[in-house]
Amino acid sequence: MISIKKRLFLILFMMLTMTAKAQITFPELDVKMKREPKNIVIFISSERCAYCLMQEKRLKNNHTLNGRLNSEVYFVAWKVDEQKKIIFNGKPYISGMEFIREFNKGETGFPFWIIFDKNYQVVYTYAGLMQNSSLMKMLDAVQ
């Protein structure tokens, strides 16, 4: 029989693993899209942005949302302060703002959300702090 401590440890480990798997990198995204195309959710943030930090905290604390981001779409969280240059769908970008300008619909600022379909077509963009309930509805809409 498994002790209570072991059960709690297993539950905590599963929750942390699920949260950690939800986020992938741009190089991983290219590989995964070739194997199994899915919709893509990109969350662009900056360390100097208070709203970005609030958004990250909300995301980390919602295990249901993390589970959906892990299983239903490819979720990329891009901190533009840490990783300046990326390659997305075979095209290099030298900054987060260059990437945002390429795909936005007139919106700019951080945090910035972009949703792509399986064919790398923009489905949705949003600039600003988003409620978790709105993120869940957004995931429902792109399925």
Side-chain angles (χ1 to χ4, degrees):
M1 196 160 193
I2 299 175
S3 71
I4 293 175
K5 281 185 179 181
K6 286 183 181 178
R7 284 183 193 174
L8 289 173
F9 174 77
L10 287 173
I11 291 169
L12 179 63
F13 178 77
M14 288 177 8
M15 289 170 58
L16 290 173
T17 303
M18 184 171 67
T19 301
K21 286 183 183 176
Q23 181 180 316
I24 63 173
T25 64
F26 282 101
E28 290 171 329
L29 176 64
D30 285 339
V31 172
K32 288 178 179 277
M33 284 296 284
K34 288 176 184 167
R35 276 191 270 146
E36 182 186 356
K38 288 184 183 182
N39 292 335
I40 304 164
V41 175
I42 299 179
F43 168 61
I44 304 170
S45 66
S46 170
E47 286 289 331
R48 297 170 292 213
C49 166
Y51 291 110
C52 298
L53 298 174
M54 288 170 57
Q55 188 76 75
E56 288 170 15
K57 185 175 180 181
R58 287 181 182 179
L59 289 172
K60 285 179 186 175
N61 292 332
N62 190 317
H63 300 294
T64 303
L65 180 57
N66 276 304
R68 291 193 65 191
L69 288 170
N70 182 35
S71 63
E72 297 174 16
V73 298
Y74 292 127
F75 177 59
V76 180
W78 180 15
K79 286 190 184 243
V80 295
D81 309 302
E82 295 173 4
Q83 182 182 15
K84 302 283 186 198
K85 298 178 184 178
I86 61 143
I87 296 175
F88 179 74
N89 194 22
K91 183 176 178 185
Y93 294 90
I94 59 170
S95 72
M97 288 311 291
E98 178 189 16
F99 188 81
I100 290 170
R101 280 192 292 273
E102 171 103 11
F103 297 108
N104 76 358
K105 296 177 182 173
E107 303 168 299
T108 58
F110 296 112
F112 195 83
W113 295 88
I114 306 177
I115 311 235
F116 295 90
D117 67 13
K118 297 172 186 179
N119 299 310
Y120 292 94
Q121 299 301 307
V122 176
V123 175
Y124 182 79
T125 64
Y126 183 80
L129 186 64
M130 191 181 291
Q131 298 295 323
N132 285 346
S133 59
S134 297
L135 285 167
M136 294 288 237
K137 289 176 186 173
M138 179 187 65
L139 288 173
D140 290 339
V142 297
Q143 292 305 312

